[in-house]
């Protein structure tokens, strides 16, 4: 599983920060956009993808990408 | 009545992993007043799983919160699992709002949803229906802090935790599940491995194999569940492997010490049991996703093949 945040599409609503249960995102106050800071902590719950107002977040299924990085 | 409810809660938690449809752990969906709410009181939303409802109402009373509680029909499943399984959706919330005539009981349109329901609820759909939905804290025990902070969250109340009390609860639920899966399997293997099966004295196979496994599941499971957050790695398989390194040889030395071959076979079998238990426990934690679990299952499958080959080849070598 790989999480992508397209910062160009981010509208700065901060919903991703509000719904993420593992703190994958932070808010860049200067750019007024969300930033992905802990992609490996993502639980694949898809709450951010479902609620993102700018459709800026995409979660892709990928079994072998980041295989060991995620498990360790 | 309270004792009966507590007993029902314990049974519900214990068999939660079985998802057996015959058990009725549903609460009637609807609008429940907590205290004596006015039209301006906050509207909280939750699932209709019996344990969730009981804990939410108890926590609200403890925190002296006066509110409306809208219980949505999530087929008796808890918040996160029902959201992930698309049983707790914006459509279901809207349907329950209509059925409960919510707009007649309140004079505002602010809804507070449990944060973990965000995996299934698209807040934009609620907005389109005129409801201003916010995702509250993960744990209902933090709702007082959330409300008094003008519905603002800090990381401490918006990130999932897995404290020891929850770990023990989930371990019990998992142990019941794994016992009902592994015990019949090992029983069957024992019968198939010995064509005369039950004709052999039961003390020769039932006690050393099946009852030993039962005790092993509960001892290892509890040890693993309690120490879970202190063991390095995120992977349940690797955690199980690590904790097994001192535990398994010691058990094998105590219980399978007649010959060197017995000792080696004991180690192989116990490593297999331990890693099956620890990997499967991934699914009983709130901090592991499905994608992660699939990766762990690959490691378990590979190691199981190696162990089974050792168990088959070791007696042939001698």
């Amino acid at each position: 599983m790989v999480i992508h945040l397209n910062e160009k599409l981010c509208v700065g609503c901060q919903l991703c920060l509000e719904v993420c249960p593992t703190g994958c995102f932070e808010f860049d106050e200067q750019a007024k956009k969300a930033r992905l800071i802990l992609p490996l902590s993502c639980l694949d719950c898809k709450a951010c993808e479902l609620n993102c107002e700018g459709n800026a977040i995409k979660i892709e299924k990928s079994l072998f990408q980041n295989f060991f990085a995620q498990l360790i | 009545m309270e004792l009966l409810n507590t007993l029902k809660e314990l049974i519900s938690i214990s068999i939660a992993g079985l998802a057996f449809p015959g058990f009725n752990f549903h609460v009637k969906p609807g609008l429940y007043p907590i205290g004596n709410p006015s039209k301006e009181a906050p509207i909280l939303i939750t699932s209709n799983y019996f344990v969730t409802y009981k804990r939410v109402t108890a926590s609200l009373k403890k925190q002296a919160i006066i509110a409306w509680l809208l219980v949505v029909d999530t087929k008796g499943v808890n918040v996160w699992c029902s959201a992930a399984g698309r049983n707790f959706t914006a459509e279901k919330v809207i349907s329950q709002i209509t059925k409960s005539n919510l707009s007649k009981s309140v004079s505002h349109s602010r809804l507070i949803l449990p944060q973990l329901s965000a995996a299934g609820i698209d807040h934009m759909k609620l907005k389109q229906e005129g409801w201003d939905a916010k995702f509250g804290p993960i744990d209902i025990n933090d709702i007082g802090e959330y409300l008094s902070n003008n519905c603002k969250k800090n990381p401490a109340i918006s990130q999932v935790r897995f404290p020891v009390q929850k770990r023990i609860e989930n371990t019990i639920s998992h142990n019941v599940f794994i016992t009902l899966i592994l015990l019949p399997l090992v029983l069957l293997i024992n019968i198939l491995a010995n064509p005369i099966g039950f004709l052999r004295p039961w003390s020769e196979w039932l006690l050393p194999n099946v009852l030993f496994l039962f005790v092993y599941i509960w001892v290892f499971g509890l040890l693993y569940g309690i120490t879970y957050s202190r063991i390095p790695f995120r992977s349940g398989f690797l955690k199980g492997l690590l904790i097994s390194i001192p535990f398994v040889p010691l058990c094998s030395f105590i219980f399978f010490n007649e010959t060197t071959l017995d000792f080696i076979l004991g180690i192989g079998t116990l490593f297999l049991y331990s890693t099956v238990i620890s990997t499967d426990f991934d699914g009983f934690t709130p901090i592991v996703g499905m994608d992660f679990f699939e990766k762990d299952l690959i490691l378990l499958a590979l190691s199981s093949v190696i162990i089974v080959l050792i168990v088959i080849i070791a007696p042939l070598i001698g």
Side-chain angles (χ1 to χ4, degrees), chain B residues 255-313:
Chain B
F255 297 105
F256 305 101
N257 54 9
E258 278 186 22
T259 63
T260 311
L261 184 63
D262 276 354
F263 177 67
I264 293 168
L265 292 181
I267 284 182
T269 311
L270 296 184
F271 259 119
L272 191 61
Y273 290 161
S274 302
T275 48
V276 166
I277 294 168
S278 68
T279 306
D280 196 66
F281 189 67
D282 278 354
F284 284 68
T285 74
I287 51 176
V288 171
M290 183 50 82
D291 182 82
F292 186 101
F293 183 48
E294 285 171 3
K295 287 184 169 83
D296 241 4
L297 281 180
I298 291 174
L299 288 184
L300 177 67
L302 288 173
S303 76
S304 301
V305 169
I306 294 167
I307 289 172
V308 168
L309 285 176
I310 292 172
V311 168
I312 292 170
I313 292 167

Side-chain angles (χ1 to χ4, degrees), chain A residues 12-23:
Chain A
C13 67
Q14 301 191 48
L15 245 299
C16 51
L17 277 81
E18 207 171 301
V19 299
C20 180
T22 52

Side-chain angles (χ1 to χ4, degrees), chain B residues 60-235:
Chain B
L60 292 174
K61 277 176 194 159
K62 196 176 162 194
Q63 294 175 81
I65 286 167
I66 294 166
W68 292 102
L69 182 65
L70 186 77
V71 176
V72 176
D73 183 7
T74 58
K75 297 188 176 173
V77 177
N78 67 54
V79 170
W80 207 356
C81 293
S82 60
R86 300 292 178 261
N87 279 316
F88 199 175
T89 59
E91 288 80 4
K92 286 230 177 178
V93 175
I94 292 163
S95 158
Q96 196 57 56
I97 287 173
T98 311
K99 281 183 197 163
S100 305
N101 273 325
L102 180 62
S103 46
K104 284 191 178 169
S105 303
V106 295
S107 59
H108 64 93
S109 57
R110 298 180 301 276
L111 305 176
I112 299 172
L113 298 153
Q115 183 184 324
L116 294 180
S117 70
I121 295 178
D122 178 354
H123 82 289
M124 289 301 288
K125 289 185 179 169
L126 292 166
K127 210 172 183 177
Q128 283 161 10
E129 295 292 320
W131 295 97
D132 176 20
K134 271 189 166 276
F135 292 102
I138 286 182
D139 191 332
I140 190 64
N141 293 314
D142 296 322
I143 196 77
E145 183 187 334
Y146 175 77
L147 290 172
S148 61
N149 201 20
N150 258 336
C151 296
K152 293 266 187 303
K153 287 194 286 187
N154 60 55
I157 65 169
S158 61
Q159 291 186 16
V160 75
R161 286 163 283 181
F162 197 27
V164 69
Q165 188 204 339
K166 284 252 187 282
R167 294 205 301 273
I168 291 172
E169 262 182 34
N170 291 13
T171 298
I172 292 169
S173 175
H174 180 242
N175 281 359
V176 171
F177 172 76
I178 207 87
T179 301
L180 292 178
I181 298 292
L182 276 188
L183 268 195
L185 191 69
V186 169
L187 189 65
L188 186 70
I189 290 170
N190 271 275
I191 294 168
L192 292 176
N194 304 286
I196 48 170
F198 285 109
L199 294 175
R200 288 168 62 210
W202 64 269
S203 58
E204 276 183 24
W205 58 274
L206 187 69
L207 201 64
N209 296 335
V210 181
L211 288 186
F212 176 82
L213 172 61
F214 178 80
V215 175
Y216 192 83
I217 287 171
W218 283 86
V219 172
F220 180 83
L222 281 169
L223 175 74
Y224 180 71
I226 291 166
T227 56
Y228 181 84
S229 56
R230 295 192 179 275
I231 313 169
F233 304 123
R234 295 178 66 205
S235 150

